[in-house]
Amino acid sequence: MDRPIVILATVQAPEVKQRRLPPQQRRTMILAAARRCIAERGMQAATAREVAAYAGVTTGTIMHHFPSMAGLLADALREGSEQFTDRTLAA
């Protein structure tokens, strides 16, 4: 009995370059992550490391977009409040 010959070939997937997000989109992601962190842990317990983990960025990226953790949290709360107001008025 002859056995069939099977030839296996490996195909390398094309390299996919990660695209950088526009600064405004990255900033929006960081603010959403900060609001999530505040909601889960409270304002006093929110850390840049946690916000970075939620946003999928480094703490350096956070500090590039926001001068301080206090500024980040203030902007996150301000934007969240504006979104709430807009949704309430639209309803």
Side-chain angles (χ1 to χ4, degrees):
M1 277 185 125
D2 290 331
R3 293 180 138 181
I5 297 174
V6 178
I7 299 174
L8 299 175
T10 58
V11 178
Q12 189 173 7
E15 189 174 319
V16 178
K17 292 183 180 181
Q18 287 187 336
R19 293 185 181 169
R20 297 186 97 185
L21 293 175
Q24 186 58 40
Q25 189 175 357
R26 185 171 305 277
R27 186 177 192 281
T28 300
M29 285 177 49
I30 293 169
L31 289 171
R35 285 192 300 277
R36 178 179 170 192
C37 196
I38 292 167
E40 290 180 3
R41 301 195 22 94
M43 188 126 164
Q44 297 297 325
T47 66
R49 187 172 287 147
E50 285 180 317
V51 173
Y54 285 141
V57 299
T58 65
T59 54
T61 300
I62 289 176
M63 293 306 146
H64 173 75
H65 288 277
F66 300 93
S68 67
M69 190 63 183
L72 165 61
L73 296 177
D75 284 356
L77 291 175
R78 184 178 312 108
E79 187 175 286
S81 177
E82 289 171 0
Q83 289 176 0
F84 177 77
T85 301
D86 291 345
R87 288 179 188 157
T88 302
L89 293 175

